[in-house]
Amino acid sequence: MSSAVSIGPAHDSPIGTTLERHLLDRQRRMSEATGDFTGLFQQISLAAKIIGSRVSKAGLSGILGLTGTTNVQGEQVQKLDDFANNTIVSVVEAGGHVCVMGSEEVEEPIQIPSQYPQGKYVLQFDPLDGSGNIDINASIGTIFSIHRRLTQDGTPGTLKDLLQPGGDIVAAGYVIYGSSNMLVYSTGDQVDGFTYDPGVGEFFLSHPKIRIPKRGGIYSINEGNYHKWDEGVRKWVDWIKAPSENKKAYSLRYIGAMVADLHRTLLRGGIFVYPRDVKNKQGKLRLLYEACPMAFLVEASGGTASNGKTRILTIEPKELHQRTPVFMGSPDDVADALRFAGS
Ligand code: AFP
């Protein structure tokens, strides 16, 4: 899907560039494109609009709070997580573009019901990342990635289609539900951000060709876990917040929703880290639908994404809900962190 040609309209439009126009423009420049990818993306954008609308009304419509059930990660599932998951599944399954899906909220691969066509793409998603923020009106988001299927066309997709490395991602993105809602995506060549205009009901290109600064001034990590980290991570945090002759002390910002913390990191620079610790020995964040899509975006914007040892995009997944440590952000900041904490 990636191309050396920069994507975007040939000339300025008086009404701005909608996400749909951006996608169609891409499709026209790719002679082999069938419209499948554009169709899938339009469904993702529809799901994002529905979820965003419900998120903005959450306090009014009585869907805040816990359902009382637990998800496959052993966490309590909130009603909005269920809603977001069901919305994506039901919008995408009937579209004929995917053959299987993987979701943070569902233990097994999500099959496409037999009455619908089995498509050529594979969709993985975290329907509502940062759900701990729902009840306090702080930003939350949806993260997704798209791969091509590995199994035979026309047949139901399998776990094999889901267990693909991030390096084989065709497109990835996130939607942030915040002071405004934004959809940010990449097909590997550039990263573009679209802001939702609720009056019109469309995402408009607002942040074309996002490039992460080479170095930032913010570090983002749950420092309450300091005593649980490896010594290298503790030394790096001690170093980064201390002023020295060569550098100012970095500021700490941590929202507790990966989408929100990485959105800031992409736009402002700096580093986001969730290392392994004594409780989460493999890290906390999920490889396939959190770390890989975000690593794909960070790298496409000029940044670095590592698990402490290797590029996240080169990890061969073994399980659907696998976890990984993450060190992501501005290349110089990640290089500094890995000097202390890389293993
Ligand atoms: P939830 O979606 O369960 O709220 O988890 C959010 C998350 O996976 C990620 O978005 C955050 O960066 C991280 O967990 C926060 O974890 P801590 O609360 O342990 O800092």
Side-chain angles (χ1 to χ4, degrees), residues 75 128-132 222 254 256-258 272 274 284-285 290:
E75 302 153 339
L128 215 53
D129 175 66
S131 50
N222 184 346
Y254 189 73
M258 188 191 199
F272 170 81
Y274 206 110
K284 178 186 175 195
L285 301 180
E290 291 185 310

Side-chain angles (χ1 to χ4, degrees), residues 37 74 81 107 118 129 131 194 240 257 276 288 343:
F37 175 80
D81 301 56
E107 186 155 7
Q118 303 289 332
D129 175 66
S131 50
F194 298 78
I240 200 162
R276 69 175 181 209
L288 284 172
S343 46

Side-chain angles (χ1 to χ4, degrees), residues 25-136:
D25 191 61
R26 162 177 293 279
Q27 186 185 316
R28 282 189 206 107
R29 291 182 198 207
M30 309 190 84
S31 51
E32 76 280 16
T34 59
D36 254 315
F37 175 80
T38 304
L40 172 55
F41 226 96
Q42 282 167 337
Q43 287 161 359
I44 294 170
S45 129
L46 171 63
K49 289 177 194 175
I50 297 171
I51 297 167
S53 158
R54 189 60 76 93
V55 166
S56 67
K57 292 198 215 71
L60 292 172
S61 51
I63 54 172
L64 286 175
L66 305 174
T67 59
T69 52
T70 53
N71 70 7
V72 289
Q73 320 296 340
E75 302 153 339
Q76 277 199 294
V77 179
Q78 297 186 284
K79 287 180 186 170
L80 220 46
D81 301 56
D82 283 345
F83 177 82
N85 185 69
N86 296 340
T87 299
I88 296 172
V89 171
S90 54
V91 169
V92 171
E93 69 179 1
H97 304 301
V98 309
C99 62
V100 67
M101 293 182 257
S103 164
E104 190 204 12
E105 298 298 334
V106 184
E107 186 155 7
E108 300 295 332
I110 303 168
Q111 300 295 341
I112 305 305
S114 55
Q115 67 264 39
Y116 301 127
Q118 303 289 332
K120 65 181 182 196
Y121 289 111
V122 175
L123 179 67
Q124 317 220 35
F125 55 92
D126 181 350
L128 215 53
D129 175 66
S131 50
N133 281 350
I134 294 172
D135 284 342
I136 54 157

